[in-house]
Amino acid sequence: MTERHTISILVNDQPGVLARVANLFGQRGFNIESITVGQSEEEGLSRMIIVTSGNEQTVQQVMKQLHKLIDVIKVQQLSAFPMVARELVLIKVEATPQNRTEISGIVEPFRASIVDVGPQSLMIQATGDSEKVDALIQLLKPYGIKQLCRTGVTAMTRGAITAKV
Amino acid sequence: MSAEAAMTATRKNIPPVQQGEVMSGAEILLRCLILEETEYIFGYPGGAVLPVYDSLYQNHLNHILPRHEQGAIHAADGYARATGKPGVVFATSGPGATNLVTGIATAHMDSVPLVIFTGNVKQQLIGTDAFQEANITGITMPITKHNYFVRDVKDLARVVKEAFTIATTGRPGPVLVDIPKDVNEAKTEFHYPEKVDLRGYNPTIEPNYLQMERLKDAVKAARKPVILAGGGVVSSGAEKELLAFAEKTQIPVITTFMGISGFPRRHPLCLSMPGMHGNYAANQAILNCDLLIGIGARFDDRITMGRTREFAPNARIVHIDIDPAEIAKNVETMIPIVGDVKHVLMRALDKVEKGDTEEWVRQVSEWREQHPYTYQNRDDVLKPQRVIEILNETTRGDAIVTTDVGQHQMWVAQYYEFQHSRSLISSGGLGTMGFGFPAAIGAQLAHPDKLVISVSGDGGFQMTMQELALVKELNLPLKIVIINNKCLGMVRQWQEIFYDNRYSQIDLSCAPDFVKLAEAFGIKGMRAVSPDEAEKVWKEAMEHDGPALIDFVVEPEENVYPMVAPGSTLDQMVMGDDNK
Ligand SMILES: Cc1ncc(C[n+]2csc(CCOP(=O)(O)OP(=O)(O)O)c2C)c(N)n1
């Protein structure tokens, strides 16, 4: 059964590491839905969060293959545990002075904010889980989305769970 | 590190280096190789590695100069496979480095330890499409165990140490180190680290206790167990442990192509090779066993035929491998055992007891006796299988045999009765034509006193035959066998069987006269076109003190049997065609 999985990869902060990880996914035919990379709690190490889909066997194989990369320190399947997953989206939506308030009304319950106002557009920033971001996009679509940027998911397990490596 | 530590125990004539002595990157590199006890460097110079080659001038290291970088890397690979030690390769940037790519992929697929050093253009030119610039670390990322681009000469010694460690430990594999010219020229203090500290690299050597208990119970309970021994047995040096394990438990042993030399062929428990061109007994054993113990084998599609669900349909599968990613990759596994095959078998030997296997052993022996590999020998034409039989009869399976890729490779696997581990050297995973002959050069350098036979098809031989010059230069006593069917035999066979005799681009009748070719290189050349001649000429070649090339002109239409077509199951074996 194909499911979505969120994997956390702790890597050496070395040039080429992102290429190694991406290459591995491509080479073995594993798809990447989103990927985020940034600083981790330890100096010299970065954390990548990858959302991939596939059956359980595929995910196990992905994780084992990732673990073989010398620059990979730790691999965790976050989605096997209670986790918090968030992404950030910027949406530039067509807006006239007439419908601006209407759009603000949509944005508000999402705790999204308007971060830029142009003569013909508004830029909206929202964070949340992917479903929330999807829902916001759906609601804004009728106004005309000029540009859309999603960061992809970053995530953490809740509480003090130490997942097995 | 003390001054003494910078010397090698075996090569006392090499002057020691003081800790902290200032040297260039190139000198550091060579000193590291001395400390790693590198016996041979297989390399080819060029602009970007000139600093290294300058330091090599009058150095204590032995450098071998093949006539093509592909020859260099396959020779290093043959050396590594014959010894278990890492093969060391040098090449220049750009075309030098890209000429290595096939050889790197070949080694990667078969888990062969190589450490490859390439030069690159100066860092100020990197990324400018400079003359002879190639992004070789990017190119080789998916075909190396790991690779490095060295930015600072201060990192060089550490990187070299890490490269050797990674290449030779865990599941072995090729590691490439790309060094820009300015790093080889820059100077720094030499400090060779005693050990490496790689947080993300920690191969599991010893097996899990609970899984070993399960293995013990499974062995005891099994009535029809079989071992599938792969290349991991050979590369971990576990041939003695495998033999002891099989004898103690009375479990028959199937050897994959890569595992062939890991278990003596003439042993009563040996069932030889399974799969596409495998033995009847081996395939029947897989179909009928109730326990299959995979040892350092990866259940690849030449054995499962891609029908992984129907593979060993009645068996519980145990999989022993050093690489956890191999376990459950292709077949479902009941008992996963991660660890070095040799260590796992040593632990297992203390534990296991023989199950009740007499009836089963009797059954598989019967299959083995009733269905040996066969072909129709003739007096008037030379059959390729007959040539391999002659090699086998005259050497009793004692020689190191390298093969190229194609029909002759399968005939060697079938008809040469390998007795010693590391004695079959062949590109199993990638199936690289042009591999066998240069690999034989490396194997012969590693074992100057052993008989090394290179067996190639006329097609593959023409891919790397320039290395005849190297054989002559080093005066290696290699026996170079060409199974000359005047065509791309394996392709011809597939076109005959699967494409209705539509022979497309397989004709090699316009080839050089291989005897004259050998002579042009200063090597003794001989030809045989009949079975009688074959025996006579081979005897002469064996008696000849020095290299000899023998052109065995064989029946061109011979096919490799038995055969299981891809996508079929192992019970659908075609045993031969009667009309030939
Ligand atoms: C580098 C490379 N190119 C192409 C192939 C595909 N291929 C596999 S076997 C074969 C024919 C080999 O012919 P030959 O070397 O004469 O050996 P034979 O099969 O006749 O014994 C070919 C072309 C390959 N394995 N390697």
Side-chain angles (χ1 to χ4, degrees), chain A residues 10 12 14-16 19-21 23 27-28 42 45 57 61 64-65 67-73, chain B residues 108 138 141-142 144-148 151 166 171 198-201 323-330:
Chain A
L10 195 64
N12 283 326
Q14 289 271 343
R20 282 180 209 280
V21 170
N23 213 321
Q27 183 195 349
R28 304 230 169 227
E42 193 179 327
L45 302 186
Q57 203 220 336
Q61 183 59 210
K64 286 181 189 174
Q65 293 294 347
H67 217 261
K68 283 171 71 172
L69 297 176
I70 308 289
D71 282 327
V72 168
I73 309 291
Chain B
H108 188 244
M141 208 173 261
T144 49
K145 187 171 172 187
H146 192 51
N147 63 22
Y148 291 90
R151 283 159 211 279
I166 292 168
R171 180 179 183 169
L198 288 161
R199 231 174 121 183
Y201 181 69
D323 181 356
E326 285 303 335
I327 290 170
K329 184 180 84 177
N330 292 331

Short mmCIF file of all heavy atoms in Angstrom, two decimals, chain A residues 10 12 14-16 19-21 23 27-28 42 45 57 61 64-65 67-73, chain B residues 108 138 141-142 144-148 151 166 171 198-201 323-330:
data_model
loop_
_atom_site.label_atom_id
_atom_site.label_comp_id
_atom_site.label_asym_id
_atom_site.label_seq_id
_atom_site.Cartn_x
_atom_site.Cartn_y
_atom_site.Cartn_z
N LEU A 10 20.03 13.08 9.36
CA LEU A 10 21.07 13.94 9.92
C LEU A 10 22.34 13.69 9.11
O LEU A 10 22.79 12.56 9.00
CB LEU A 10 21.26 13.58 11.39
CG LEU A 10 22.03 14.57 12.25
CD1 LEU A 10 21.29 15.89 12.36
CD2 LEU A 10 22.24 13.98 13.66
N ASN A 12 26.38 15.11 7.57
CA ASN A 12 27.51 16.02 7.67
C ASN A 12 27.25 17.22 6.79
O ASN A 12 26.78 17.08 5.66
CB ASN A 12 28.80 15.34 7.17
CG ASN A 12 29.36 14.37 8.19
OD1 ASN A 12 29.25 14.60 9.39
ND2 ASN A 12 29.94 13.29 7.70
N GLN A 14 28.49 18.97 4.48
CA GLN A 14 29.59 18.91 3.52
C GLN A 14 29.06 19.29 2.15
O GLN A 14 27.91 18.99 1.85
CB GLN A 14 30.08 17.45 3.39
CG GLN A 14 30.81 16.91 4.57
CD GLN A 14 32.28 17.17 4.46
OE1 GLN A 14 32.76 17.48 3.37
NE2 GLN A 14 32.99 17.11 5.57
N PRO A 15 29.92 19.87 1.31
CA PRO A 15 29.44 20.12 -0.06
C PRO A 15 29.08 18.78 -0.71
O PRO A 15 29.76 17.78 -0.50
CB PRO A 15 30.65 20.73 -0.77
CG PRO A 15 31.66 21.03 0.27
CD PRO A 15 31.29 20.31 1.52
N GLY A 16 28.02 18.77 -1.47
CA GLY A 16 27.69 17.55 -2.21
C GLY A 16 26.77 16.59 -1.47
O GLY A 16 26.31 15.62 -2.06
N ALA A 19 23.35 16.45 -3.01
CA ALA A 19 23.41 15.73 -4.28
C ALA A 19 23.44 14.23 -4.04
O ALA A 19 22.78 13.46 -4.74
CB ALA A 19 24.63 16.17 -5.08
N ARG A 20 24.19 13.79 -3.05
CA ARG A 20 24.27 12.35 -2.76
C ARG A 20 22.90 11.78 -2.39
O ARG A 20 22.50 10.72 -2.87
CB ARG A 20 25.22 12.08 -1.59
CG ARG A 20 26.67 12.14 -1.96
CD ARG A 20 27.54 11.86 -0.74
NE ARG A 20 28.81 12.54 -0.89
CZ ARG A 20 29.82 12.09 -1.63
NH1 ARG A 20 29.71 10.95 -2.26
NH2 ARG A 20 30.92 12.78 -1.74
N VAL A 21 22.21 12.52 -1.52
CA VAL A 21 20.91 12.03 -1.07
C VAL A 21 19.92 12.04 -2.23
O VAL A 21 19.22 11.05 -2.48
CB VAL A 21 20.41 12.88 0.13
CG1 VAL A 21 18.96 12.56 0.45
CG2 VAL A 21 21.30 12.65 1.34
N ASN A 23 20.54 12.01 -5.42
CA ASN A 23 21.00 11.02 -6.38
C ASN A 23 20.52 9.62 -6.03
O ASN A 23 20.05 8.86 -6.88
CB ASN A 23 22.53 11.03 -6.34
CG ASN A 23 23.13 10.75 -7.68
OD1 ASN A 23 22.63 9.91 -8.42
ND2 ASN A 23 24.21 11.44 -8.01
N GLN A 27 18.28 7.35 -8.37
CA GLN A 27 18.88 6.13 -8.89
C GLN A 27 18.03 4.91 -8.57
O GLN A 27 17.92 3.98 -9.36
CB GLN A 27 20.25 6.00 -8.23
CG GLN A 27 21.06 4.84 -8.67
CD GLN A 27 22.22 4.63 -7.69
OE1 GLN A 27 22.49 5.47 -6.84
NE2 GLN A 27 22.88 3.51 -7.82
N ARG A 28 17.43 4.88 -7.40
CA ARG A 28 16.66 3.70 -7.00
C ARG A 28 15.18 3.86 -7.29
O ARG A 28 14.37 3.03 -6.89
CB ARG A 28 16.86 3.42 -5.51
CG ARG A 28 18.34 3.27 -5.18
CD ARG A 28 18.63 2.04 -4.38
NE ARG A 28 20.06 1.81 -4.34
CZ ARG A 28 20.66 0.64 -4.56
NH1 ARG A 28 19.95 -0.41 -4.87
NH2 ARG A 28 21.95 0.53 -4.49
N GLU A 42 23.30 20.44 16.17
CA GLU A 42 24.75 20.24 16.36
C GLU A 42 25.55 20.91 15.25
O GLU A 42 25.24 20.76 14.07
CB GLU A 42 25.04 18.73 16.37
CG GLU A 42 26.43 18.43 16.86
CD GLU A 42 26.74 16.94 16.90
OE1 GLU A 42 25.82 16.14 17.18
OE2 GLU A 42 27.90 16.60 16.64
N LEU A 45 26.54 19.61 11.48
CA LEU A 45 25.55 18.68 10.95
C LEU A 45 24.31 19.44 10.46
O LEU A 45 23.89 20.41 11.08
CB LEU A 45 25.11 17.67 12.03
CG LEU A 45 26.18 16.80 12.67
CD1 LEU A 45 25.53 15.77 13.59
CD2 LEU A 45 27.02 16.07 11.62
N GLN A 57 7.84 -1.53 2.47
CA GLN A 57 9.11 -2.15 2.05
C GLN A 57 10.01 -1.13 1.35
O GLN A 57 11.21 -1.08 1.57
CB GLN A 57 8.83 -3.33 1.12
CG GLN A 57 9.96 -4.32 1.09
CD GLN A 57 10.22 -4.87 -0.31
OE1 GLN A 57 9.33 -4.86 -1.15
NE2 GLN A 57 11.42 -5.32 -0.55
N GLN A 61 13.72 0.16 2.50
CA GLN A 61 14.86 0.08 1.57
C GLN A 61 15.51 1.46 1.41
O GLN A 61 16.73 1.59 1.46
CB GLN A 61 14.38 -0.48 0.23
CG GLN A 61 15.45 -0.69 -0.82
CD GLN A 61 16.58 -1.65 -0.44
OE1 GLN A 61 17.69 -1.48 -0.91
NE2 GLN A 61 16.31 -2.63 0.40
N LYS A 64 17.55 2.18 4.52
CA LYS A 64 18.79 1.41 4.58
C LYS A 64 19.81 1.94 3.58
O LYS A 64 21.01 2.00 3.87
CB LYS A 64 18.51 -0.06 4.27
CG LYS A 64 17.81 -0.81 5.39
CD LYS A 64 17.64 -2.24 4.93
CE LYS A 64 16.80 -3.11 5.79
NZ LYS A 64 16.60 -4.42 5.13
N GLN A 65 19.34 2.29 2.39
CA GLN A 65 20.27 2.82 1.39
C GLN A 65 20.84 4.16 1.85
O GLN A 65 22.02 4.43 1.65
CB GLN A 65 19.58 2.97 0.03
CG GLN A 65 19.18 1.65 -0.63
CD GLN A 65 20.36 0.78 -1.02
OE1 GLN A 65 21.51 1.21 -1.04
NE2 GLN A 65 20.09 -0.49 -1.32
N HIS A 67 21.32 5.08 4.83
CA HIS A 67 22.25 4.82 5.91
C HIS A 67 23.62 4.41 5.40
O HIS A 67 24.63 4.57 6.09
CB HIS A 67 21.67 3.73 6.82
CG HIS A 67 21.98 3.99 8.25
ND1 HIS A 67 23.00 3.37 8.89
CD2 HIS A 67 21.44 4.85 9.13
CE1 HIS A 67 23.07 3.83 10.13
NE2 HIS A 67 22.13 4.73 10.30
N LYS A 68 23.66 3.88 4.19
CA LYS A 68 24.95 3.47 3.63
C LYS A 68 25.81 4.66 3.21
O LYS A 68 27.02 4.52 3.03
CB LYS A 68 24.72 2.56 2.42
CG LYS A 68 24.34 1.15 2.82
CD LYS A 68 23.91 0.33 1.63
CE LYS A 68 25.05 -0.03 0.72
NZ LYS A 68 24.60 -1.00 -0.32
N LEU A 69 25.18 5.82 3.02
CA LEU A 69 25.99 6.99 2.64
C LEU A 69 26.87 7.38 3.83
O LEU A 69 26.39 7.47 4.96
CB LEU A 69 25.08 8.16 2.26
CG LEU A 69 24.19 7.94 1.03
CD1 LEU A 69 23.28 9.14 0.82
CD2 LEU A 69 25.02 7.67 -0.21
N ILE A 70 28.15 7.58 3.54
CA ILE A 70 29.11 7.83 4.61
C ILE A 70 28.76 9.14 5.34
O ILE A 70 28.95 9.24 6.55
CB ILE A 70 30.54 7.92 4.02
CG1 ILE A 70 30.85 6.70 3.16
CG2 ILE A 70 31.57 8.13 5.13
CD1 ILE A 70 31.03 5.40 3.83
N ASP A 71 28.25 10.12 4.63
CA ASP A 71 27.95 11.41 5.25
C ASP A 71 26.62 11.42 6.00
O ASP A 71 26.23 12.45 6.56
CB ASP A 71 27.95 12.53 4.19
CG ASP A 71 29.38 12.93 3.84
OD1 ASP A 71 30.25 12.87 4.72
OD2 ASP A 71 29.62 13.30 2.67
N VAL A 72 25.91 10.32 5.97
CA VAL A 72 24.65 10.25 6.71
C VAL A 72 24.93 9.69 8.11
O VAL A 72 25.48 8.61 8.27
CB VAL A 72 23.62 9.38 5.96
CG1 VAL A 72 22.43 9.07 6.86
CG2 VAL A 72 23.16 10.09 4.70
N ILE A 73 24.52 10.47 9.12
CA ILE A 73 24.80 10.07 10.50
C ILE A 73 23.63 9.27 11.07
O ILE A 73 23.81 8.30 11.79
CB ILE A 73 25.04 11.32 11.39
CG1 ILE A 73 26.08 12.25 10.77
CG2 ILE A 73 25.42 10.93 12.82
CD1 ILE A 73 27.48 11.73 10.74
N HIS B 108 32.24 -1.60 -8.32
CA HIS B 108 31.15 -1.27 -7.39
C HIS B 108 30.11 -2.38 -7.37
O HIS B 108 29.65 -2.82 -6.31
CB HIS B 108 30.52 0.05 -7.81
CG HIS B 108 29.53 0.59 -6.83
ND1 HIS B 108 28.20 0.74 -7.13
CD2 HIS B 108 29.68 1.02 -5.56
CE1 HIS B 108 27.58 1.24 -6.07
NE2 HIS B 108 28.45 1.42 -5.11
N GLY B 138 31.03 14.09 -9.21
CA GLY B 138 29.61 14.05 -9.57
C GLY B 138 29.30 12.84 -10.44
O GLY B 138 28.32 12.12 -10.20
N MET B 141 29.44 9.51 -8.35
CA MET B 141 28.69 9.43 -7.09
C MET B 141 27.88 8.13 -6.97
O MET B 141 27.96 7.44 -5.95
CB MET B 141 27.78 10.64 -6.98
CG MET B 141 27.48 11.06 -5.57
SD MET B 141 26.58 12.61 -5.60
CE MET B 141 27.88 13.77 -5.27
N PRO B 142 27.12 7.76 -8.00
CA PRO B 142 26.32 6.53 -7.82
C PRO B 142 27.10 5.23 -8.02
O PRO B 142 26.54 4.17 -7.83
CB PRO B 142 25.23 6.66 -8.88
CG PRO B 142 25.70 7.66 -9.85
CD PRO B 142 26.80 8.46 -9.24
N THR B 144 30.38 4.73 -6.71
CA THR B 144 31.45 4.56 -5.72
C THR B 144 30.80 4.32 -4.36
O THR B 144 29.66 4.72 -4.14
CB THR B 144 32.33 5.82 -5.59
OG1 THR B 144 31.50 6.97 -5.45
CG2 THR B 144 33.24 5.98 -6.79
N LYS B 145 31.56 3.68 -3.47
CA LYS B 145 31.07 3.56 -2.10
C LYS B 145 31.08 4.94 -1.45
O LYS B 145 30.20 5.29 -0.68
CB LYS B 145 31.96 2.56 -1.34
CG LYS B 145 31.44 2.23 0.05
CD LYS B 145 32.21 1.09 0.66
CE LYS B 145 31.81 0.89 2.12
NZ LYS B 145 32.66 -0.11 2.79
N HIS B 146 32.09 5.72 -1.81
CA HIS B 146 32.17 7.10 -1.35
C HIS B 146 33.18 7.80 -2.24
O HIS B 146 34.04 7.15 -2.83
CB HIS B 146 32.64 7.15 0.11
CG HIS B 146 32.47 8.50 0.74
ND1 HIS B 146 31.30 9.20 0.70
CD2 HIS B 146 33.35 9.29 1.43
CE1 HIS B 146 31.44 10.36 1.34
NE2 HIS B 146 32.68 10.43 1.79
N ASN B 147 33.08 9.11 -2.35
CA ASN B 147 34.15 9.83 -3.05
C ASN B 147 34.43 11.16 -2.40
O ASN B 147 33.64 11.66 -1.58
CB ASN B 147 33.89 9.94 -4.56
CG ASN B 147 32.66 10.74 -4.91
OD1 ASN B 147 32.17 11.56 -4.13
ND2 ASN B 147 32.13 10.50 -6.10
N TYR B 148 35.59 11.70 -2.71
CA TYR B 148 36.06 12.94 -2.07
C TYR B 148 36.58 13.90 -3.13
O TYR B 148 37.20 13.48 -4.12
CB TYR B 148 37.26 12.65 -1.16
CG TYR B 148 36.97 11.86 0.08
CD1 TYR B 148 37.04 10.47 0.07
CD2 TYR B 148 36.66 12.49 1.28
CE1 TYR B 148 36.82 9.73 1.22
CE2 TYR B 148 36.43 11.76 2.44
CZ TYR B 148 36.51 10.39 2.41
OH TYR B 148 36.30 9.66 3.55
N ARG B 151 39.88 19.82 -1.00
CA ARG B 151 39.99 21.26 -1.21
C ARG B 151 41.24 21.85 -0.57
O ARG B 151 41.68 22.93 -0.93
CB ARG B 151 38.78 21.98 -0.60
CG ARG B 151 37.57 21.85 -1.44
CD ARG B 151 36.28 22.08 -0.65
NE ARG B 151 35.26 21.26 -1.26
CZ ARG B 151 34.60 21.62 -2.35
NH1 ARG B 151 34.82 22.78 -2.91
NH2 ARG B 151 33.72 20.81 -2.88
N ILE B 166 37.40 2.97 4.15
CA ILE B 166 36.05 2.75 3.61
C ILE B 166 36.08 1.68 2.52
O ILE B 166 35.20 0.82 2.46
CB ILE B 166 35.47 4.08 3.08
CG1 ILE B 166 35.21 5.05 4.25
CG2 ILE B 166 34.19 3.85 2.29
CD1 ILE B 166 34.91 6.47 3.82
N ARG B 171 31.12 -3.76 3.62
CA ARG B 171 31.00 -4.28 2.27
C ARG B 171 31.99 -3.50 1.42
O ARG B 171 31.83 -2.30 1.23
CB ARG B 171 29.58 -4.06 1.76
CG ARG B 171 29.38 -4.59 0.36
CD ARG B 171 27.95 -4.38 -0.09
NE ARG B 171 27.75 -4.94 -1.41
CZ ARG B 171 26.57 -5.09 -1.97
NH1 ARG B 171 25.48 -4.73 -1.32
NH2 ARG B 171 26.45 -5.61 -3.18
N LEU B 198 34.87 8.18 11.63
CA LEU B 198 33.76 8.45 10.70
C LEU B 198 32.47 8.10 11.42
O LEU B 198 32.11 6.94 11.57
CB LEU B 198 33.91 7.59 9.44
CG LEU B 198 35.01 7.97 8.48
CD1 LEU B 198 35.33 6.81 7.55
CD2 LEU B 198 34.61 9.20 7.68
N ARG B 199 31.78 9.14 11.84
CA ARG B 199 30.60 8.93 12.67
C ARG B 199 29.50 8.17 11.95
O ARG B 199 28.78 7.38 12.53
CB ARG B 199 30.07 10.29 13.06
CG ARG B 199 29.84 10.43 14.53
CD ARG B 199 29.46 11.83 14.80
NE ARG B 199 28.16 11.89 15.42
CZ ARG B 199 27.55 13.03 15.71
NH1 ARG B 199 28.12 14.18 15.40
NH2 ARG B 199 26.38 13.01 16.29
N GLY B 200 29.38 8.44 10.66
CA GLY B 200 28.27 7.84 9.92
C GLY B 200 28.61 6.49 9.32
O GLY B 200 27.89 5.98 8.47
N TYR B 201 29.73 5.90 9.75
CA TYR B 201 30.18 4.67 9.11
C TYR B 201 30.58 3.67 10.18
O TYR B 201 31.56 3.88 10.88
CB TYR B 201 31.36 4.96 8.20
CG TYR B 201 31.88 3.75 7.47
CD1 TYR B 201 31.13 3.14 6.48
CD2 TYR B 201 33.12 3.20 7.78
CE1 TYR B 201 31.59 2.02 5.83
CE2 TYR B 201 33.60 2.08 7.13
CZ TYR B 201 32.83 1.50 6.15
OH TYR B 201 33.30 0.40 5.49
N ASP B 323 25.73 -6.24 4.50
CA ASP B 323 25.01 -5.01 4.09
C ASP B 323 23.53 -5.16 4.43
O ASP B 323 22.82 -5.90 3.76
CB ASP B 323 25.21 -4.80 2.59
CG ASP B 323 24.53 -3.54 2.10
OD1 ASP B 323 23.85 -2.86 2.91
OD2 ASP B 323 24.68 -3.22 0.91
N PRO B 324 23.06 -4.44 5.45
CA PRO B 324 21.65 -4.59 5.83
C PRO B 324 20.69 -4.24 4.69
O PRO B 324 19.58 -4.78 4.64
CB PRO B 324 21.47 -3.61 7.00
CG PRO B 324 22.74 -2.86 7.13
CD PRO B 324 23.80 -3.51 6.32
N ALA B 325 21.13 -3.40 3.77
CA ALA B 325 20.25 -3.01 2.67
C ALA B 325 20.01 -4.16 1.70
O ALA B 325 19.06 -4.13 0.91
CB ALA B 325 20.83 -1.81 1.92
N GLU B 326 20.85 -5.18 1.72
CA GLU B 326 20.62 -6.33 0.84
C GLU B 326 19.50 -7.23 1.37
O GLU B 326 18.85 -7.94 0.62
CB GLU B 326 21.90 -7.16 0.66
CG GLU B 326 22.92 -6.54 -0.27
CD GLU B 326 22.36 -6.25 -1.66
OE1 GLU B 326 21.39 -6.90 -2.10
OE2 GLU B 326 22.89 -5.34 -2.31
N ILE B 327 19.33 -7.18 2.69
CA ILE B 327 18.36 -8.09 3.29
C ILE B 327 16.95 -7.60 3.03
O ILE B 327 16.64 -6.43 3.24
CB ILE B 327 18.67 -8.27 4.80
CG1 ILE B 327 19.97 -9.08 4.90
CG2 ILE B 327 17.52 -8.96 5.51
CD1 ILE B 327 20.58 -9.17 6.25
N ALA B 328 16.13 -8.49 2.50
CA ALA B 328 14.75 -8.18 2.13
C ALA B 328 14.66 -7.20 0.96
O ALA B 328 13.60 -6.67 0.68
CB ALA B 328 13.94 -7.67 3.32
N LYS B 329 15.76 -6.96 0.26
CA LYS B 329 15.70 -6.09 -0.92
C LYS B 329 14.98 -6.80 -2.06
O LYS B 329 14.12 -6.23 -2.71
CB LYS B 329 17.11 -5.68 -1.37
CG LYS B 329 17.11 -4.69 -2.54
CD LYS B 329 18.52 -4.30 -2.96
CE LYS B 329 19.12 -5.32 -3.90
NZ LYS B 329 20.46 -4.93 -4.39
N ASN B 330 15.35 -8.06 -2.28
CA ASN B 330 14.77 -8.80 -3.40
C ASN B 330 13.82 -9.92 -2.97
O ASN B 330 12.82 -10.15 -3.63
CB ASN B 330 15.88 -9.39 -4.28
CG ASN B 330 16.65 -8.31 -5.01
OD1 ASN B 330 16.11 -7.25 -5.32
ND2 ASN B 330 17.91 -8.56 -5.29
#
